[in-house]
């Protein structure tokens, strides 16, 4: 007499299979983007030019203009929200290039 042995079936739920495939794909993408901050020296001149504009007089003019337009719109609408948006835009124009440069050049 031979014993009829049957192994239990092991099936992954569909969600677990999709999740594991997603983790694999994301891992491969992260490996490829590990060197994303290197190279690109051909764009260094334009980056320096635009950063200089944003941090220089042009950026200050844009920041003050955003602030004044926000305050004027706030007075017209009788709401502080427009003035807050103007101040926020002015802060982004003034401090944005420094923050972006710090994020990009940060060493992990």
């Amino acid at each position: 007499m031979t014993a009829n042995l049957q192994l239990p079936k092991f099936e992954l739920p569909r969600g677990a299979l999709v999740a594991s495939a997603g983790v694999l794909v994301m891992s491969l993408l992260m490996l490829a983007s590990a060197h994303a901050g290197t190279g690109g020296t051909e764009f260094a001149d334009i980056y320096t030019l635009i950063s200089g504009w944003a941090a220089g007089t042009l950026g200050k003019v844009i920041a003050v203009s955003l602030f004044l337009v926000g305050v004027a719109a706030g007075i017209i609408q009788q709401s502080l929200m427009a003035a807050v948006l103007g101040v926020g835009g002015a802060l982004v124009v003034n401090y944005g290039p420094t923050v972006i440069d710090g994020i990009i050049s940060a060493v992990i």
Side-chain angles (χ1 to χ4, degrees), residues 8-88:
K9 287 187 177 182
F10 179 72
E11 294 182 15
L12 282 175
R14 182 175 171 92
L17 185 62
V18 170
S20 61
V23 168
L24 177 66
V25 168
M26 291 303 295
S27 299
L28 293 175
L29 289 175
M30 288 173 52
L31 287 175
S33 67
H35 300 287
T38 61
T41 57
E42 57 272 2
F43 298 109
D45 293 336
I46 191 73
Y47 173 75
T48 304
L49 178 68
I50 293 174
S51 294
W53 284 348
T57 306
L58 177 63
K60 290 177 184 174
V61 168
I62 293 172
V64 170
S65 299
L66 282 170
F67 173 70
L68 291 176
V69 168
V71 168
I75 290 171
I76 291 171
Q77 294 177 357
Q78 295 181 353
S79 169
L80 289 175
M81 198 60 194
V84 169
L85 291 175
V87 170

